Amino acid sequence: MSPTSQSPDHIPPVPGPPPDPRRWWGLVFIALAQLMVVLDATIVNIALPSAQRDLHMSDANRQWVITAYTLAFGGLLLLGGRVADLVGRKRTFLTGLIGFAGASALGGAAHTDTLLFAARALQGVFAAILAPSALSLLTTAFADGKERSKAFGIYGAIAGGGSAIGLIAGGLLTEYLDWRWCLYVNIPVALIAFGGATVMLHDHRPSRADRPRLDIPGTVLGCGGLVAIVYACSEAQPRGWSDTRVLALLCGGAALLAVFAWWQSRAVNPLLPLHIIRERNRGGAVLTMALAVIAMFGMFLFMTYYLQVVLGYSPVKTGLAFLPMTAAIVIGATQLSARLMNHLPPRMLIVPGALLAASGLFLLVFLPVEAAYASHVLPAELLVGLGMGLIFMPVMATATAGVAPRDSGVTSATVNTAQQVGGSIGTALLNTIATSASATYIAAHLKAAALAGGVTPGVRDSVTKTGIVHGYHVAIGCGSFIMLLAAVVAGVLITGRAPEHTAAQAGHRTDDDPHRMRAA
């Protein structure tokens, strides 16, 4: 055998293309777009009372400002991810930016509540195109291990802290400008991201032979099931989980998703190839993401109400009160996770992060009615922030690692779907628990006060405020338990390091390669 010949068992890996020299600038504009999408889920919350007064919205209809966005966003993410695989990630990224800006302009100029609802739904549609495109562009642009860790650290900080940033921005814009600027602010951000992405991002559109076909039955089943579940969660807040409509939507959504899973195992070009979520590390990462977000979104909801209703903070002061937690998320993702990811298995970051976050949530179970921010709220915020920073970056890196380029869009969409649906479930579930616990506490204590000698206005106010805080205690305690469950899931299912090579680096490797993961 000649020195230059090699046996078939020693074929060298196929070298990937050289890294794009503009990739770090590209990350700036990807991060900017992702921040816009994430914070838009919460920036409108603080502005909602002002918008309701201005547009004469009824109490029954005001939830559609939030629900229209979450329904379209959560329900269409899988479709958006597959569209990115079909037509190219950069093309869908730019389309999503322009569409999101246009929908934001329409919502800011709305003179009726119906027009605002429609604009928010359009925002959700284009967010469902934009979010998976952004994550898949990041996944394919950064293949080197150390660079990938840094890039995902930045992206994870945005994913974890964007919601808190939205609360801060919403408070500032509503108090000093107008609620409409909570929508208008997206326009310059989207235009800057569009201009930068046009120049700095590079993406190969798949060839016709490599381009997957769109799975129409799978799209109808998958998107329909997700829409039904997200809508059920939004309706559970005012109606309760035992309401007939809520139960029908939940059962219908679960049935559609079950048929969807059956169809995906038989479809020639499935919307969500099942090998993507069957891979143990990836499936564990997606489930961990969903559980962590359930707990985190519940915490945002109750702390917002606690600070404003119980402690009497203004919208701006409430937003600023979340700033330390946002800073802790950024530090945890960029300075801890990004630096340790190349030296530790992902679960060695995710499990301690979930335990830290669970500890922070547990501290909030002891919040008094009259609290001091520095001693009662701040320590819990810092623990939750550091914990979430440790969770988000390795979860996202693990969930998107080693995926074939033709499936990177739908894989990214799966991660975003876990985050979005987890947020919807967490907000509805924990809000119902808090409301029920508060109502039971208030009723029992008012009855006891009446038997003891009468219920004065002062007694009623005191019992009501204490009951509200008691409901928060119970719900946040449940959130702490859910975060502990996320730690268990990560410890059991996420067994290996991130892959040594991504699919972009070694074209001969796929998700079916059993040797792709290094043992923990």
Side-chain angles (χ1 to χ4, degrees):
M1 181 179 294
S2 66
T4 58
S5 63
Q6 296 182 12
S7 68
D9 294 332
H10 296 84
I11 298 175
V14 179
D20 190 335
R22 300 168 297 180
R23 60 194 178 282
W24 288 107
W25 277 108
L27 174 62
V28 171
F29 301 110
I30 292 172
L32 194 61
Q34 179 64 15
L35 178 62
M36 181 180 67
V37 170
V38 173
L39 66 81
D40 218 70
T42 55
I43 192 173
V44 177
N45 287 8
I46 291 179
L48 186 54
S50 300
Q52 183 179 0
R53 288 192 301 268
D54 193 13
L55 300 180
H56 308 291
M57 261 180 254
S58 67
D59 288 344
N61 286 337
R62 67 184 177 185
Q63 66 155 331
W64 282 103
V65 176
I66 309 299
T67 303
Y69 181 80
T70 56
L71 270 180
F73 189 15
L76 298 177
L77 269 166
L78 286 178
L79 176 60
R82 186 48 98 191
V83 168
D85 293 330
L86 283 167
V87 303
R89 291 170 286 273
K90 179 177 178 179
R91 181 174 299 185
T92 52
F93 183 78
L94 296 177
T95 301
L97 283 171
I98 291 300
F100 200 91
S104 299
L106 181 65
H111 58 278
T112 66
D113 55 357
T114 303
L115 186 58
L116 179 59
F117 301 155
R120 289 286 287 167
L122 274 177
Q123 279 187 309
V125 170
F126 286 107
I129 296 173
L130 183 58
S133 301
L135 184 53
S136 56
L137 280 167
L138 178 69
T139 301
T140 54
F142 292 92
D144 176 73
K146 291 184 178 180
E147 287 193 348
R148 184 181 174 86
S149 297
K150 292 178 183 178
F152 271 93
I154 295 169
Y155 193 87
I158 291 169
S163 298
I165 295 171
L167 296 172
I168 298 170
L172 291 170
L173 292 170
T174 301
E175 189 159 328
Y176 293 113
L177 291 174
D178 185 77
W179 69 266
R180 297 179 183 275
W181 278 97
C182 292
L183 295 165
Y184 285 145
V185 71
N186 293 321
I187 301 172
V189 174
L191 292 178
I192 292 171
F194 181 90
T198 301
V199 177
M200 297 298 175
L201 291 180
H202 180 70
D203 180 38
H204 290 290
R205 186 183 180 190
S207 65
R208 185 175 297 274
D210 294 333
R211 199 179 307 162
R213 295 180 181 273
L214 186 61
D215 175 18
I216 301 298
T219 299
V220 173
L221 291 168
C223 294
L226 288 172
V227 165
I229 288 176
V230 173
Y231 185 36
C233 293
S234 66
E235 287 290 288
Q237 295 184 58
R239 293 174 178 271
W241 289 96
S242 59
D243 181 77
T244 303
R245 178 186 293 184
V246 173
L247 291 175
L249 286 167
L250 285 174
C251 293
L256 285 173
L257 291 180
V259 178
F260 170 76
W262 170 83
W263 173 252
Q264 295 309 282
S265 65
R266 289 158 174 77
V268 177
N269 295 287
L271 179 68
L272 175 59
L274 292 183
H275 68 80
I276 289 176
I277 54 176
R278 279 177 181 157
E279 201 277 321
R280 181 172 178 171
N281 291 282
R282 187 171 299 113
V286 170
L287 184 55
T288 301
M289 168 71 82
L291 292 170
V293 170
I294 287 174
M296 186 183 75
F297 268 61
M299 182 259 192
F300 279 143
L301 174 68
F302 300 125
M303 289 310 299
T304 299
Y305 277 97
Y306 179 80
L307 293 171
Q308 290 195 54
V309 176
V310 179
L311 300 186
Y313 283 19
S314 68
V316 171
K317 191 174 181 181
T318 299
L320 293 176
F322 283 102
L323 195 57
M325 184 172 67
T326 305
I329 291 173
V330 172
I331 291 171
T334 61
Q335 301 304 310
L336 298 178
S337 285
R339 293 176 184 273
L340 296 174
M341 184 67 179
N342 292 315
H343 306 288
L344 296 173
R347 66 179 175 188
M348 295 301 292
L349 296 172
I350 300 169
V351 173
L355 293 176
L356 274 178
S359 301
L361 291 172
F362 187 71
L363 287 181
L364 295 176
V365 172
F366 303 99
L367 281 177
V369 175
E370 301 294 336
Y373 175 81
S375 58
H376 294 104
V377 178
L378 182 59
E381 282 193 354
L382 293 176
L383 284 173
V384 172
L386 283 173
M388 296 309 294
L390 286 172
I391 291 171
F392 272 108
M393 179 266 172
V395 161
M396 288 186 171
T398 302
T400 57
V403 180
R406 72 191 308 268
D407 291 329
S408 64
V410 74
T411 304
S412 301
T414 304
V415 179
N416 279 283
T417 299
Q419 187 174 352
Q420 182 64 27
V421 175
S424 298
I425 292 173
T427 301
L429 176 64
L430 297 180
N431 184 64
T432 303
I433 292 172
T435 303
S436 300
S438 294
T440 302
Y441 181 97
I442 292 170
H445 283 73
L446 286 179
K447 183 178 180 179
L451 293 174
V455 180
T456 64
V459 170
R460 182 178 295 276
D461 290 344
S462 176
V463 168
T464 300
K465 183 175 284 190
T466 305
I468 290 172
V469 174
H470 171 74
Y472 297 164
H473 289 169
V474 174
I476 292 176
C478 292
S480 178
F481 175 79
I482 293 171
M483 192 65 78
L484 285 176
L485 185 58
V488 173
V489 168
V492 172
L493 294 182
I494 301 177
T495 60
R497 282 185 178 273
E500 295 183 51
H501 302 281
T502 65
Q505 286 174 292
H508 64 291
R509 288 179 171 181
T510 69
D511 283 301
D512 299 321
D513 184 356
H515 305 294
R516 185 176 55 80
M517 302 294 290
R518 293 185 302 192

